[in-house]
Amino acid sequence: MKGYVFHGPGNSAWEEVPDPDLKEPTDAVVRVDAVTICGTDLHILKGDVPEVRPGTVLGHEAVGEIVEAGSDVRTVRPGDRVLMSCITACGRCRYCREGVYGQCLGGGGWILGHLIDGTQAEYVRVPFADLSVHPLPGAVTNQDAVMLADIFPTSYEVGVLNGHVRPGDTVVVVGAGPIGLAAVATARLFTPERVIAVDVATSRLEAARKLGAEAVADARENPEQLVADLTDGLGADVVVEAVGIPETFETCTRMVRPGGHVANIGVHGKPATLHLEDLWIKNVTISTGLVDTHSTPTLLRMATAGRLPLAQLVTHTFPLERMEEAYDVFSRAADTGALKVVLGGPQREVVAAGTG
């Protein structure tokens, strides 16, 4: 089969790789029908995630059909259409018993496209299939469902839930890429007073408006002043960092009010300065996190009911064999207007950002 293989920083290719096989009786092999590219994949290609070894097939978000299941798999069988979670869970270790699947000690956690071959291929082996895939109802399309593999659970859990968004809050989302936009959408489930999106790309700020942001700000034009003006100088109740660079993290800590919460989602490849000389007196909570995907069943029910704006995030589609082109389009989002690109299924070349 073919897969998208990481060969070291700045070096990757769509090429022939061995077909996956069942290695454990809890495994399943899935034919990939729809897959997407994550900002984390770009971090890997830059060398920001050194645990990824050269020769690894990338990708951790996909939808497909079970083609083979191990003897201990009980909840799915060949022929089932499933969502593959970005997080794998053994179900037995201390963290899995607490629902903190991202920290699984039993061989799970974030392993697809990280520690083992991932989903950007024609077929993929999924360990611990009973807890790591979700059967899909017919009402949810492949293209919509793949948004639930990573970005919506990540934004909802690490940004909105960890940030303790409450009714009446002012929420600032710094970074209006796919993760940030999903944070805008899921924050609104808690009826905040306002959501403010910050980015440098006009197309992404427009997408944030369409997803419900009441205000947007160019990151180069003193967004801290806008937040101060809208909150009578108090600052935001919750600030979500969805970029992963030192400058945006430090901006978030300057925007939050005393007693507020900074929820970091961004994948950081460099140290960021923590200005405790300013923060120690402000009762500020800073949270970090890897998604656990404990919310995936809830989000899937909401998607089935039409309560999540999944399709609005997809701006480009490609066949699988155009993976390299899809990476190019996604990596140049400022020029291409790309939000999420989906490979597999019906294709459409370009759609204006945020229009669905």
Side-chain angles (χ1 to χ4, degrees):
M1 69 169 189
K2 285 194 170 183
Y4 193 68
V5 181
F6 172 70
H7 290 295
N11 186 5
S12 56
W14 177 252
E15 61 188 43
E16 294 286 341
V17 294
D19 293 343
D21 296 314
L22 298 176
K23 294 185 177 180
E24 302 291 342
T26 51
D27 290 349
V29 174
V30 184
R31 184 193 70 222
V32 174
D33 294 330
V35 65
T36 186
I37 301 170
C38 180
T40 303
D41 296 320
L42 300 184
H43 281 282
I44 292 171
L45 292 177
K46 288 167 56 181
D48 289 345
V49 189
E51 300 86 2
V52 182
R53 295 172 296 181
T56 301
V57 175
L58 296 184
H60 51 268
E61 308 165 81
V63 170
E65 182 179 307
I66 302 281
V67 295
E68 191 175 5
S71 58
D72 287 351
V73 176
R74 298 287 183 264
T75 60
V76 291
R77 60 186 179 181
D80 287 349
R81 189 173 70 106
V82 297
L83 168 68
M84 287 167 267
S85 175
C86 64
I87 298 295
T88 302
C90 78
R92 298 186 297 271
C93 72
R94 169 182 173 173
Y95 286 116
C96 284
R97 287 178 179 271
E98 295 174 353
V100 187
Y101 307 123
Q103 304 300 325
C104 175
L105 298 171
W110 173 38
I111 57 174
L112 289 171
H114 181 207
L115 305 180
I116 68 172
D117 285 339
T119 59
Q120 290 171 4
E122 295 174 312
Y123 294 87
V124 60
R125 177 180 73 91
V126 180
F128 306 115
D130 279 330
L131 285 172
S132 305
V133 302
H134 300 268
L136 285 171
V140 181
T141 68
N142 288 350
Q143 183 170 285
D144 285 354
V146 78
M147 300 295 107
L148 300 176
D150 184 356
I151 64 165
F152 268 83
T154 296
S155 299
Y156 183 58
E157 295 174 19
V158 185
V160 175
L161 296 184
N162 284 3
H164 298 283
V165 174
R166 297 175 298 182
D169 277 355
T170 291
V171 179
V172 178
V173 179
V174 178
I179 287 285
L181 292 173
V184 169
T186 52
R188 287 181 53 79
L189 298 173
F190 291 84
T191 61
E193 180 181 2
R194 62 176 69 86
V195 178
I196 304 166
V198 179
D199 203 283
V200 296
T202 302
S203 61
R204 292 189 167 193
L205 293 176
E206 181 59 28
R209 283 193 183 277
K210 292 180 178 179
L211 287 168
E214 284 80 10
V216 299
D218 189 313
R220 298 162 295 192
E221 297 179 1
N222 195 13
E224 298 162 46
Q225 186 60 54
L226 172 65
V227 173
D229 291 344
L230 291 175
T231 59
D232 295 324
L234 186 64
D237 301 284
V238 181
V239 186
V240 177
E241 202 285 340
V243 181
I245 60 175
E247 294 81 2
T248 51
F249 175 79
E250 293 171 32
T251 295
C252 290
T253 63
R254 292 193 297 269
M255 287 180 174
V256 70
R257 69 166 173 83
H261 199 125
V262 175
N264 184 88
I265 302 176
V267 177
H268 288 265
K270 296 179 181 179
T273 300
L274 181 61
H275 287 284
L276 284 175
E277 74 277 11
D278 297 324
L279 295 172
W280 74 271
I281 201 171
K282 293 184 177 180
N283 294 20
V284 170
T285 299
I286 298 173
S287 63
T288 67
L290 175 66
V291 63
D292 295 310
T293 65
H294 62 75
S295 68
T296 302
T298 298
L299 294 172
L300 185 54
R301 290 194 299 272
M302 296 183 70
T304 304
R307 296 291 302 277
L308 296 176
L310 305 176
Q312 292 184 49
L313 294 180
V314 179
T315 53
H316 298 72
T317 60
F318 301 87
L320 270 177
E321 61 268 19
R322 288 170 60 187
M323 183 71 70
E324 293 178 352
E325 181 182 351
Y327 258 92
D328 176 65
V329 168
F330 184 65
S331 67
R332 296 186 299 107
D335 299 323
T336 64
L339 295 176
K340 288 296 276 187
V341 302
V342 175
L343 296 101
Q347 279 78 55
R348 75 173 177 270
E349 292 302 321
V350 179
V351 175
T355 59

